[in-house]
């Protein structure tokens, strides 16, 4: 039995007769009266166990968007059901009061925007209540029990029970960097539509023949076709399709580091394009890496390349291979939804084994990790040396926006020391990048908001230069 504020008020009213009639036993008598009223009210309340519940939720929702949990409450008792129903979900799903104030704009009463719902049902009738769910974290979220507090006619006391109604909601990655995709696809179409590629390399394939013009590379002359036609003709080339792109997400301890959110000046993405910067990528380094993997995967797929994505530390946490076209992004989102950082060192030789096991021909291998000097020297550098002999390697890492702010702050003596430490760390990372480039790897380091578009630009540049 649960008492309400009305029961407390009723008990407090007993102070009046005690003061007016200070007779021994008055308090006991009044307490018995209050207890009797509560007992009768509870007896007249409908049993919460006699309520049928059915919960309906979507299978998945993207991070940052709002879903709804719909609960159908049916009163199977013989008495009228006056109750408060609580649809319990983890705190990372249920929106706070500030978010619920947008209910007026949606044409809904504010109380319908919370996890608690008042129902008043005659016997045999049903009601449908909805709870908005706005996730703040990726992964599978399991619903809690539905708690029903059934009141009597006087609402001074209630009967309460919690009923398990299984439900699960998968929160997919946000993919906020999707807005960078149209501009990169436009550049990809420009690359495919060019009449000729002046640089001949491993990543180009024959397209067509045309007459020679001043400025063409003489190495592109087709001498047999020239002899047949009597005019000098050259071969034109286009970026080769059907290449392999392997994206590896480092899910070791360095991926658990929390990073600030920063943007390029004037809201640019690092190339003066695409308008405002994303502001929703704050969190761990792994979150920014997932965004970069999603954008690169979508772009490479549209370019006609085969995409594989691995999440690895000491064991394989997730893998997507063989998906293409409209199936690729859903497969990536589903696979990466439950990937979380592991607080252990990454097994870099094992990572090389994973890559070699899955691709044998020349591929673009993108390592989304950190540029921590100690980790690079002891683990990443030998890996890059082994991979770059066969594949084109790109090392992509997230720069911490908080460190950038520390480096620019000169407001106090302690701030100057912090700025000096941040500048020293930058110099160390620059030295690490130089060593990686000497070993044949391309290096991309950018703020969380800029990593995905910068990595996509690097992919396009490599493809245009015929280095894939």
């Amino acid at each position: 039995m649960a008492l309400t504020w009305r029961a407390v008020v009723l008990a407090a009213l007993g102070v009046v007769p005690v003061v007016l009639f200070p007779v021994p036993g008055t308090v006991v008598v009044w307490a018995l009266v209050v207890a009797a009223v509560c007992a009768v009210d509870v007896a007249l309340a409908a049993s919460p166990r006699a309520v049928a519940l059915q919960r309906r939720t979507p299978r998945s929702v993207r991070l940052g968007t709002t879903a709804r949990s719909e609960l159908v409450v049916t009163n199977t008792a013989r008495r009228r059901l006056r109750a408060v129903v609580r649809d319990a979900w983890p705190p990372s799903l249920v929106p706070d009061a500030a978010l619920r104030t947008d209910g007026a704009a949606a044409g809904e009463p504010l109380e319908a925007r919370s996890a608690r719902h008042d129902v008043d049902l005659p016997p045999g009738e049903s009601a449908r209540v909805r709870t908005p769910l706005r996730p703040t974290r990726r992964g599978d979220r399991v619903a809690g029990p539905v708690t029903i507090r059934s009141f009597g006619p006087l609402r001074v006391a209630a009967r309460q029970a919690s009923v398990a109604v299984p439900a699960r909601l998968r929160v997919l990655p946000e993919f906020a960097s999707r807005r960078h995709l149209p501009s990169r696809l436009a550049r990809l179409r420009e690359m495919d539509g060019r009449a000729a590629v002046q640089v001949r390399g491993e990543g180009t394939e024959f397209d067509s023949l045309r007459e020679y013009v001043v400025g063409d590379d003489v190495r592109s002359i087709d001498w047999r076709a020239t002899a047949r036609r009597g005019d000098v003709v050259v071969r034109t080339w286009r970026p080769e399709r059907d290449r392999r792109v392997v994206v590896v997400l480092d899910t070791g301890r360095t991926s658990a580091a929390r990073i600030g959110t920063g943007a390029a000046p004037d809201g640019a993405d690092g190339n003066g394009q695409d308008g405002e910067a994303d502001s929703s990528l704050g969190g761990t380094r792994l979150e920014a890496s997932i965004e970069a993997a999603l954008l690169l995967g979508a772009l490479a797929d549209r370019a006609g390349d085969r995409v594989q994505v691995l999440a690895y530390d000491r064991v394989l946490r997730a893998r997507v291979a063989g998906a293409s076209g409209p199936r690729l992004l859903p497969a990536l989102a589903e696979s990466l939804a439950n990937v979380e950082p592991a607080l252990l060192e990454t097994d870099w030789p094992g990572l090389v084994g994973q890559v070699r096991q899955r691709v044998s021909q020349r591929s673009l291998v993108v390592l989304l990790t950190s540029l921590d000097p100690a980790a690079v020297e002891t683990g990443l550098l030998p890996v890059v040396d082994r991979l770059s002999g066969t594949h084109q390697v790109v090392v992509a890492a997230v720069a911490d926006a908080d460190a950038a702010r520390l480096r620019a702050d000169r407001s106090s003596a302690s701030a100057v020391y912090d700025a000096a430490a941040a500048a020293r760390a930058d110099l160390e990372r620059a030295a690490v990048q130089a060593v990686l480039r000497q070993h044949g790897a391309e290096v991309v380091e950018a703020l969380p908001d800029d990593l995905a578009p910068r990595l996509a630009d690097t992919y396009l540049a490599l493809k245009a230069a015929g280095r894939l």
Side-chain angles (χ1 to χ4, degrees), residues 212-243:
Y212 175 85
V213 295
V214 177
D216 284 338
D217 191 339
V218 294
R219 293 176 298 175
S220 298
I221 297 176
D222 190 318
W223 295 107
R224 290 185 179 180
T226 298
R228 288 195 301 267
R229 292 190 182 185
D231 293 326
V232 180
V233 295
V234 296
R235 297 175 179 177
T236 62
W237 308 85
R238 64 185 177 190
E240 188 173 349
R241 291 177 174 266
D242 200 30
R243 308 298 289 176

PDB file of all heavy atoms in Angstrom, residues 212-243:
ATOM      1  N   TYR A 212      45.555  14.038 -80.004  1.00  0.00           N
ATOM      2  CA  TYR A 212      46.563  14.684 -79.160  1.00  0.00           C
ATOM      3  C   TYR A 212      46.418  16.208 -79.254  1.00  0.00           C
ATOM      4  O   TYR A 212      46.183  16.762 -80.331  1.00  0.00           O
ATOM      5  CB  TYR A 212      47.957  14.271 -79.611  1.00  0.00           C
ATOM      6  CG  TYR A 212      49.080  14.966 -78.880  1.00  0.00           C
ATOM      7  CD1 TYR A 212      49.555  14.487 -77.678  1.00  0.00           C
ATOM      8  CD2 TYR A 212      49.670  16.114 -79.420  1.00  0.00           C
ATOM      9  CE1 TYR A 212      50.594  15.129 -77.011  1.00  0.00           C
ATOM     10  CE2 TYR A 212      50.702  16.769 -78.769  1.00  0.00           C
ATOM     11  CZ  TYR A 212      51.152  16.265 -77.555  1.00  0.00           C
ATOM     12  OH  TYR A 212      52.175  16.901 -76.907  1.00  0.00           O
ATOM     13  N   VAL A 213      46.531  16.877 -78.092  1.00  0.00           N
ATOM     14  CA  VAL A 213      46.569  18.336 -78.049  1.00  0.00           C
ATOM     15  C   VAL A 213      47.817  18.742 -77.277  1.00  0.00           C
ATOM     16  O   VAL A 213      48.357  17.968 -76.482  1.00  0.00           O
ATOM     17  CB  VAL A 213      45.299  18.933 -77.378  1.00  0.00           C
ATOM     18  CG1 VAL A 213      44.057  18.636 -78.200  1.00  0.00           C
ATOM     19  CG2 VAL A 213      45.144  18.424 -75.954  1.00  0.00           C
ATOM     20  N   VAL A 214      48.261  19.953 -77.535  1.00  0.00           N
ATOM     21  CA  VAL A 214      49.474  20.444 -76.886  1.00  0.00           C
ATOM     22  C   VAL A 214      49.272  20.451 -75.366  1.00  0.00           C
ATOM     23  O   VAL A 214      48.262  20.935 -74.852  1.00  0.00           O
ATOM     24  CB  VAL A 214      49.823  21.862 -77.384  1.00  0.00           C
ATOM     25  CG1 VAL A 214      51.040  22.393 -76.646  1.00  0.00           C
ATOM     26  CG2 VAL A 214      50.078  21.838 -78.888  1.00  0.00           C
ATOM     27  N   GLY A 215      50.235  19.881 -74.676  1.00  0.00           N
ATOM     28  CA  GLY A 215      50.157  19.806 -73.227  1.00  0.00           C
ATOM     29  C   GLY A 215      49.875  18.422 -72.707  1.00  0.00           C
ATOM     30  O   GLY A 215      50.050  18.160 -71.514  1.00  0.00           O
ATOM     31  N   ASP A 216      49.411  17.494 -73.587  1.00  0.00           N
ATOM     32  CA  ASP A 216      49.160  16.120 -73.156  1.00  0.00           C
ATOM     33  C   ASP A 216      50.466  15.428 -72.819  1.00  0.00           C
ATOM     34  O   ASP A 216      51.530  15.705 -73.397  1.00  0.00           O
ATOM     35  CB  ASP A 216      48.435  15.338 -74.249  1.00  0.00           C
ATOM     36  CG  ASP A 216      46.969  15.702 -74.347  1.00  0.00           C
ATOM     37  OD1 ASP A 216      46.440  16.206 -73.334  1.00  0.00           O
ATOM     38  OD2 ASP A 216      46.365  15.491 -75.410  1.00  0.00           O
ATOM     39  N   ASP A 217      50.402  14.507 -71.895  1.00  0.00           N
ATOM     40  CA  ASP A 217      51.561  13.713 -71.512  1.00  0.00           C
ATOM     41  C   ASP A 217      51.898  12.768 -72.675  1.00  0.00           C
ATOM     42  O   ASP A 217      51.044  11.994 -73.132  1.00  0.00           O
ATOM     43  CB  ASP A 217      51.237  12.908 -70.251  1.00  0.00           C
ATOM     44  CG  ASP A 217      52.472  12.255 -69.642  1.00  0.00           C
ATOM     45  OD1 ASP A 217      53.471  12.092 -70.364  1.00  0.00           O
ATOM     46  OD2 ASP A 217      52.408  11.884 -68.451  1.00  0.00           O
ATOM     47  N   VAL A 218      53.127  12.823 -73.134  1.00  0.00           N
ATOM     48  CA  VAL A 218      53.525  11.981 -74.279  1.00  0.00           C
ATOM     49  C   VAL A 218      53.462  10.497 -73.922  1.00  0.00           C
ATOM     50  O   VAL A 218      53.366   9.638 -74.809  1.00  0.00           O
ATOM     51  CB  VAL A 218      54.939  12.364 -74.759  1.00  0.00           C
ATOM     52  CG1 VAL A 218      54.953  13.770 -75.323  1.00  0.00           C
ATOM     53  CG2 VAL A 218      55.957  12.222 -73.631  1.00  0.00           C
ATOM     54  N   ARG A 219      53.502  10.181 -72.624  1.00  0.00           N
ATOM     55  CA  ARG A 219      53.412   8.777 -72.230  1.00  0.00           C
ATOM     56  C   ARG A 219      52.023   8.212 -72.486  1.00  0.00           C
ATOM     57  O   ARG A 219      51.820   6.991 -72.482  1.00  0.00           O
ATOM     58  CB  ARG A 219      53.762   8.628 -70.749  1.00  0.00           C
ATOM     59  CG  ARG A 219      55.211   8.947 -70.427  1.00  0.00           C
ATOM     60  CD  ARG A 219      55.461   8.883 -68.933  1.00  0.00           C
ATOM     61  NE  ARG A 219      54.659   9.881 -68.213  1.00  0.00           N
ATOM     62  CZ  ARG A 219      54.610   9.978 -66.881  1.00  0.00           C
ATOM     63  NH1 ARG A 219      55.308   9.138 -66.138  1.00  0.00           N
ATOM     64  NH2 ARG A 219      53.871  10.915 -66.317  1.00  0.00           N
ATOM     65  N   SER A 220      51.031   9.101 -72.716  1.00  0.00           N
ATOM     66  CA  SER A 220      49.670   8.639 -72.977  1.00  0.00           C
ATOM     67  C   SER A 220      49.421   8.365 -74.453  1.00  0.00           C
ATOM     68  O   SER A 220      48.305   7.951 -74.817  1.00  0.00           O
ATOM     69  CB  SER A 220      48.662   9.696 -72.485  1.00  0.00           C
ATOM     70  OG  SER A 220      48.772   9.877 -71.096  1.00  0.00           O
ATOM     71  N   ILE A 221      50.420   8.587 -75.322  1.00  0.00           N
ATOM     72  CA  ILE A 221      50.218   8.364 -76.759  1.00  0.00           C
ATOM     73  C   ILE A 221      50.057   6.872 -77.034  1.00  0.00           C
ATOM     74  O   ILE A 221      50.848   6.045 -76.563  1.00  0.00           O
ATOM     75  CB  ILE A 221      51.389   8.937 -77.570  1.00  0.00           C
ATOM     76  CG1 ILE A 221      51.472  10.464 -77.393  1.00  0.00           C
ATOM     77  CG2 ILE A 221      51.256   8.574 -79.049  1.00  0.00           C
ATOM     78  CD1 ILE A 221      52.656  11.098 -78.079  1.00  0.00           C
ATOM     79  N   ASP A 222      49.041   6.529 -77.783  1.00  0.00           N
ATOM     80  CA  ASP A 222      48.825   5.148 -78.229  1.00  0.00           C
ATOM     81  C   ASP A 222      49.402   5.027 -79.637  1.00  0.00           C
ATOM     82  O   ASP A 222      48.803   5.468 -80.611  1.00  0.00           O
ATOM     83  CB  ASP A 222      47.322   4.833 -78.224  1.00  0.00           C
ATOM     84  CG  ASP A 222      47.064   3.347 -78.449  1.00  0.00           C
ATOM     85  OD1 ASP A 222      47.730   2.748 -79.310  1.00  0.00           O
ATOM     86  OD2 ASP A 222      46.182   2.794 -77.747  1.00  0.00           O
ATOM     87  N   TRP A 223      50.598   4.406 -79.746  1.00  0.00           N
ATOM     88  CA  TRP A 223      51.325   4.394 -81.024  1.00  0.00           C
ATOM     89  C   TRP A 223      50.645   3.506 -82.056  1.00  0.00           C
ATOM     90  O   TRP A 223      50.664   3.799 -83.251  1.00  0.00           O
ATOM     91  CB  TRP A 223      52.768   3.945 -80.791  1.00  0.00           C
ATOM     92  CG  TRP A 223      53.530   4.925 -79.943  1.00  0.00           C
ATOM     93  CD1 TRP A 223      53.909   4.763 -78.652  1.00  0.00           C
ATOM     94  CD2 TRP A 223      53.958   6.219 -80.338  1.00  0.00           C
ATOM     95  NE1 TRP A 223      54.563   5.883 -78.199  1.00  0.00           N
ATOM     96  CE2 TRP A 223      54.612   6.806 -79.220  1.00  0.00           C
ATOM     97  CE3 TRP A 223      53.857   6.971 -81.509  1.00  0.00           C
ATOM     98  CZ2 TRP A 223      55.156   8.074 -79.242  1.00  0.00           C
ATOM     99  CZ3 TRP A 223      54.413   8.237 -81.542  1.00  0.00           C
ATOM    100  CH2 TRP A 223      55.046   8.792 -80.418  1.00  0.00           C
ATOM    101  N   ARG A 224      50.005   2.444 -81.639  1.00  0.00           N
ATOM    102  CA  ARG A 224      49.326   1.578 -82.598  1.00  0.00           C
ATOM    103  C   ARG A 224      48.135   2.310 -83.211  1.00  0.00           C
ATOM    104  O   ARG A 224      47.906   2.271 -84.420  1.00  0.00           O
ATOM    105  CB  ARG A 224      48.864   0.297 -81.913  1.00  0.00           C
ATOM    106  CG  ARG A 224      50.001  -0.634 -81.520  1.00  0.00           C
ATOM    107  CD  ARG A 224      49.460  -1.927 -80.960  1.00  0.00           C
ATOM    108  NE  ARG A 224      50.552  -2.831 -80.607  1.00  0.00           N
ATOM    109  CZ  ARG A 224      50.376  -4.045 -80.083  1.00  0.00           C
ATOM    110  NH1 ARG A 224      49.138  -4.491 -79.859  1.00  0.00           N
ATOM    111  NH2 ARG A 224      51.413  -4.805 -79.790  1.00  0.00           N
ATOM    112  N   ALA A 225      47.332   2.964 -82.339  1.00  0.00           N
ATOM    113  CA  ALA A 225      46.193   3.714 -82.858  1.00  0.00           C
ATOM    114  C   ALA A 225      46.655   4.885 -83.714  1.00  0.00           C
ATOM    115  O   ALA A 225      46.019   5.239 -84.713  1.00  0.00           O
ATOM    116  CB  ALA A 225      45.332   4.217 -81.695  1.00  0.00           C
ATOM    117  N   THR A 226      47.785   5.483 -83.356  1.00  0.00           N
ATOM    118  CA  THR A 226      48.340   6.583 -84.156  1.00  0.00           C
ATOM    119  C   THR A 226      48.724   6.100 -85.542  1.00  0.00           C
ATOM    120  O   THR A 226      48.462   6.773 -86.554  1.00  0.00           O
ATOM    121  CB  THR A 226      49.560   7.182 -83.431  1.00  0.00           C
ATOM    122  OG1 THR A 226      49.148   7.726 -82.184  1.00  0.00           O
ATOM    123  CG2 THR A 226      50.216   8.265 -84.282  1.00  0.00           C
ATOM    124  N   ALA A 227      49.325   4.901 -85.598  1.00  0.00           N
ATOM    125  CA  ALA A 227      49.729   4.355 -86.905  1.00  0.00           C
ATOM    126  C   ALA A 227      48.514   4.039 -87.764  1.00  0.00           C
ATOM    127  O   ALA A 227      48.541   4.236 -88.991  1.00  0.00           O
ATOM    128  CB  ALA A 227      50.580   3.107 -86.702  1.00  0.00           C
ATOM    129  N   ARG A 228      47.439   3.543 -87.136  1.00  0.00           N
ATOM    130  CA  ARG A 228      46.246   3.200 -87.908  1.00  0.00           C
ATOM    131  C   ARG A 228      45.540   4.444 -88.442  1.00  0.00           C
ATOM    132  O   ARG A 228      45.065   4.459 -89.587  1.00  0.00           O
ATOM    133  CB  ARG A 228      45.272   2.390 -87.037  1.00  0.00           C
ATOM    134  CG  ARG A 228      45.738   0.973 -86.751  1.00  0.00           C
ATOM    135  CD  ARG A 228      44.581   0.130 -86.218  1.00  0.00           C
ATOM    136  NE  ARG A 228      44.024   0.698 -85.004  1.00  0.00           N
ATOM    137  CZ  ARG A 228      44.402   0.374 -83.768  1.00  0.00           C
ATOM    138  NH1 ARG A 228      45.383  -0.508 -83.593  1.00  0.00           N
ATOM    139  NH2 ARG A 228      43.832   0.933 -82.723  1.00  0.00           N
ATOM    140  N   ARG A 229      45.440   5.484 -87.638  1.00  0.00           N
ATOM    141  CA  ARG A 229      44.686   6.672 -88.018  1.00  0.00           C
ATOM    142  C   ARG A 229      45.498   7.662 -88.847  1.00  0.00           C
ATOM    143  O   ARG A 229      44.935   8.465 -89.605  1.00  0.00           O
ATOM    144  CB  ARG A 229      44.170   7.392 -86.776  1.00  0.00           C
ATOM    145  CG  ARG A 229      43.108   6.623 -86.018  1.00  0.00           C
ATOM    146  CD  ARG A 229      42.495   7.511 -84.958  1.00  0.00           C
ATOM    147  NE  ARG A 229      41.502   6.810 -84.171  1.00  0.00           N
ATOM    148  CZ  ARG A 229      40.745   7.387 -83.235  1.00  0.00           C
ATOM    149  NH1 ARG A 229      40.899   8.685 -83.000  1.00  0.00           N
ATOM    150  NH2 ARG A 229      39.867   6.684 -82.565  1.00  0.00           N
ATOM    151  N   GLY A 230      46.805   7.652 -88.653  1.00  0.00           N
ATOM    152  CA  GLY A 230      47.623   8.654 -89.317  1.00  0.00           C
ATOM    153  C   GLY A 230      47.724   9.944 -88.540  1.00  0.00           C
ATOM    154  O   GLY A 230      48.437  10.863 -88.951  1.00  0.00           O
ATOM    155  N   ASP A 231      46.989  10.075 -87.425  1.00  0.00           N
ATOM    156  CA  ASP A 231      47.060  11.228 -86.527  1.00  0.00           C
ATOM    157  C   ASP A 231      47.502  10.746 -85.149  1.00  0.00           C
ATOM    158  O   ASP A 231      47.251   9.600 -84.758  1.00  0.00           O
ATOM    159  CB  ASP A 231      45.701  11.916 -86.406  1.00  0.00           C
ATOM    160  CG  ASP A 231      45.278  12.570 -87.721  1.00  0.00           C
ATOM    161  OD1 ASP A 231      46.173  13.061 -88.435  1.00  0.00           O
ATOM    162  OD2 ASP A 231      44.062  12.567 -88.005  1.00  0.00           O
ATOM    163  N   VAL A 232      48.136  11.652 -84.412  1.00  0.00           N
ATOM    164  CA  VAL A 232      48.581  11.305 -83.063  1.00  0.00           C
ATOM    165  C   VAL A 232      47.358  11.268 -82.139  1.00  0.00           C
ATOM    166  O   VAL A 232      46.609  12.255 -82.046  1.00  0.00           O
ATOM    167  CB  VAL A 232      49.622  12.309 -82.542  1.00  0.00           C
ATOM    168  CG1 VAL A 232      50.055  11.926 -81.135  1.00  0.00           C
ATOM    169  CG2 VAL A 232      50.810  12.365 -83.474  1.00  0.00           C
ATOM    170  N   VAL A 233      47.156  10.137 -81.487  1.00  0.00           N
ATOM    171  CA  VAL A 233      46.040   9.994 -80.542  1.00  0.00           C
ATOM    172  C   VAL A 233      46.597   9.554 -79.193  1.00  0.00           C
ATOM    173  O   VAL A 233      47.665   8.943 -79.107  1.00  0.00           O
ATOM    174  CB  VAL A 233      44.991   8.974 -81.042  1.00  0.00           C
ATOM    175  CG1 VAL A 233      44.320   9.455 -82.309  1.00  0.00           C
ATOM    176  CG2 VAL A 233      45.610   7.610 -81.258  1.00  0.00           C
ATOM    177  N   VAL A 234      45.891   9.903 -78.167  1.00  0.00           N
ATOM    178  CA  VAL A 234      46.319   9.575 -76.806  1.00  0.00           C
ATOM    179  C   VAL A 234      45.209   8.806 -76.117  1.00  0.00           C
ATOM    180  O   VAL A 234      44.027   8.894 -76.478  1.00  0.00           O
ATOM    181  CB  VAL A 234      46.659  10.846 -75.993  1.00  0.00           C
ATOM    182  CG1 VAL A 234      47.848  11.559 -76.592  1.00  0.00           C
ATOM    183  CG2 VAL A 234      45.457  11.760 -75.899  1.00  0.00           C
ATOM    184  N   ARG A 235      45.605   8.059 -75.126  1.00  0.00           N
ATOM    185  CA  ARG A 235      44.649   7.360 -74.283  1.00  0.00           C
ATOM    186  C   ARG A 235      44.189   8.287 -73.152  1.00  0.00           C
ATOM    187  O   ARG A 235      44.990   9.045 -72.615  1.00  0.00           O
ATOM    188  CB  ARG A 235      45.268   6.110 -73.667  1.00  0.00           C
ATOM    189  CG  ARG A 235      45.690   5.062 -74.679  1.00  0.00           C
ATOM    190  CD  ARG A 235      46.402   3.921 -73.966  1.00  0.00           C
ATOM    191  NE  ARG A 235      46.814   2.881 -74.909  1.00  0.00           N
ATOM    192  CZ  ARG A 235      47.509   1.806 -74.554  1.00  0.00           C
ATOM    193  NH1 ARG A 235      47.890   1.666 -73.276  1.00  0.00           N
ATOM    194  NH2 ARG A 235      47.841   0.909 -75.462  1.00  0.00           N
ATOM    195  N   THR A 236      42.938   8.212 -72.830  1.00  0.00           N
ATOM    196  CA  THR A 236      42.432   8.933 -71.651  1.00  0.00           C
ATOM    197  C   THR A 236      42.185   7.923 -70.546  1.00  0.00           C
ATOM    198  O   THR A 236      41.887   6.750 -70.804  1.00  0.00           O
ATOM    199  CB  THR A 236      41.129   9.684 -71.962  1.00  0.00           C
ATOM    200  OG1 THR A 236      40.121   8.747 -72.339  1.00  0.00           O
ATOM    201  CG2 THR A 236      41.342  10.692 -73.085  1.00  0.00           C
ATOM    202  N   TRP A 237      42.328   8.388 -69.336  1.00  0.00           N
ATOM    203  CA  TRP A 237      42.248   7.504 -68.166  1.00  0.00           C
ATOM    204  C   TRP A 237      41.209   8.063 -67.197  1.00  0.00           C
ATOM    205  O   TRP A 237      40.898   9.242 -67.201  1.00  0.00           O
ATOM    206  CB  TRP A 237      43.615   7.422 -67.470  1.00  0.00           C
ATOM    207  CG  TRP A 237      44.725   7.067 -68.403  1.00  0.00           C
ATOM    208  CD1 TRP A 237      45.441   7.901 -69.196  1.00  0.00           C
ATOM    209  CD2 TRP A 237      45.206   5.754 -68.665  1.00  0.00           C
ATOM    210  NE1 TRP A 237      46.362   7.210 -69.938  1.00  0.00           N
ATOM    211  CE2 TRP A 237      46.254   5.874 -69.624  1.00  0.00           C
ATOM    212  CE3 TRP A 237      44.900   4.477 -68.177  1.00  0.00           C
ATOM    213  CZ2 TRP A 237      46.962   4.780 -70.099  1.00  0.00           C
ATOM    214  CZ3 TRP A 237      45.611   3.389 -68.652  1.00  0.00           C
ATOM    215  CH2 TRP A 237      46.624   3.542 -69.609  1.00  0.00           C
ATOM    216  N   ARG A 238      40.704   7.204 -66.418  1.00  0.00           N
ATOM    217  CA  ARG A 238      39.753   7.619 -65.379  1.00  0.00           C
ATOM    218  C   ARG A 238      40.095   6.888 -64.093  1.00  0.00           C
ATOM    219  O   ARG A 238      40.731   5.826 -64.122  1.00  0.00           O
ATOM    220  CB  ARG A 238      38.324   7.284 -65.796  1.00  0.00           C
ATOM    221  CG  ARG A 238      38.048   5.802 -65.958  1.00  0.00           C
ATOM    222  CD  ARG A 238      36.655   5.558 -66.500  1.00  0.00           C
ATOM    223  NE  ARG A 238      36.456   4.130 -66.718  1.00  0.00           N
ATOM    224  CZ  ARG A 238      35.414   3.626 -67.369  1.00  0.00           C
ATOM    225  NH1 ARG A 238      34.500   4.445 -67.869  1.00  0.00           N
ATOM    226  NH2 ARG A 238      35.290   2.329 -67.531  1.00  0.00           N
ATOM    227  N   PRO A 239      39.677   7.435 -62.955  1.00  0.00           N
ATOM    228  CA  PRO A 239      39.945   6.758 -61.692  1.00  0.00           C
ATOM    229  C   PRO A 239      39.345   5.359 -61.693  1.00  0.00           C
ATOM    230  O   PRO A 239      38.202   5.154 -62.097  1.00  0.00           O
ATOM    231  CB  PRO A 239      39.254   7.650 -60.650  1.00  0.00           C
ATOM    232  CG  PRO A 239      39.189   8.981 -61.303  1.00  0.00           C
ATOM    233  CD  PRO A 239      39.010   8.722 -62.759  1.00  0.00           C
ATOM    234  N   GLU A 240      40.135   4.398 -61.287  1.00  0.00           N
ATOM    235  CA  GLU A 240      39.699   3.003 -61.334  1.00  0.00           C
ATOM    236  C   GLU A 240      38.665   2.712 -60.259  1.00  0.00           C
ATOM    237  O   GLU A 240      38.768   3.182 -59.127  1.00  0.00           O
ATOM    238  CB  GLU A 240      40.910   2.086 -61.161  1.00  0.00           C
ATOM    239  CG  GLU A 240      40.576   0.628 -61.386  1.00  0.00           C
ATOM    240  CD  GLU A 240      41.818  -0.236 -61.387  1.00  0.00           C
ATOM    241  OE1 GLU A 240      42.923   0.330 -61.415  1.00  0.00           O
ATOM    242  OE2 GLU A 240      41.663  -1.457 -61.353  1.00  0.00           O
ATOM    243  N   ARG A 241      37.669   1.925 -60.634  1.00  0.00           N
ATOM    244  CA  ARG A 241      36.640   1.496 -59.698  1.00  0.00           C
ATOM    245  C   ARG A 241      36.944   0.099 -59.191  1.00  0.00           C
ATOM    246  O   ARG A 241      37.907  -0.540 -59.612  1.00  0.00           O
ATOM    247  CB  ARG A 241      35.265   1.536 -60.368  1.00  0.00           C
ATOM    248  CG  ARG A 241      34.776   2.953 -60.662  1.00  0.00           C
ATOM    249  CD  ARG A 241      33.454   2.928 -61.380  1.00  0.00           C
ATOM    250  NE  ARG A 241      32.924   4.283 -61.545  1.00  0.00           N
ATOM    251  CZ  ARG A 241      32.080   4.847 -60.707  1.00  0.00           C
ATOM    252  NH1 ARG A 241      31.658   4.186 -59.644  1.00  0.00           N
ATOM    253  NH2 ARG A 241      31.650   6.081 -60.905  1.00  0.00           N
ATOM    254  N   ASP A 242      36.082  -0.350 -58.301  1.00  0.00           N
ATOM    255  CA  ASP A 242      36.176  -1.702 -57.749  1.00  0.00           C
ATOM    256  C   ASP A 242      37.481  -1.912 -56.978  1.00  0.00           C
ATOM    257  O   ASP A 242      38.042  -3.001 -56.982  1.00  0.00           O
ATOM    258  CB  ASP A 242      36.036  -2.746 -58.865  1.00  0.00           C
ATOM    259  CG  ASP A 242      35.636  -4.119 -58.307  1.00  0.00           C
ATOM    260  OD1 ASP A 242      34.950  -4.145 -57.273  1.00  0.00           O
ATOM    261  OD2 ASP A 242      36.034  -5.140 -58.882  1.00  0.00           O
ATOM    262  N   ARG A 243      37.966  -0.866 -56.345  1.00  0.00           N
ATOM    263  CA  ARG A 243      39.117  -1.010 -55.463  1.00  0.00           C
ATOM    264  C   ARG A 243      38.636  -1.424 -54.078  1.00  0.00           C
ATOM    265  O   ARG A 243      37.454  -1.321 -53.746  1.00  0.00           O
ATOM    266  CB  ARG A 243      39.901   0.309 -55.367  1.00  0.00           C
ATOM    267  CG  ARG A 243      40.274   0.905 -56.706  1.00  0.00           C
ATOM    268  CD  ARG A 243      41.183   0.005 -57.500  1.00  0.00           C
ATOM    269  NE  ARG A 243      42.521  -0.080 -56.941  1.00  0.00           N
ATOM    270  CZ  ARG A 243      43.480  -0.863 -57.409  1.00  0.00           C
ATOM    271  NH1 ARG A 243      43.236  -1.645 -58.443  1.00  0.00           N
ATOM    272  NH2 ARG A 243      44.677  -0.865 -56.852  1.00  0.00           N
TER     273      ARG A 243
END
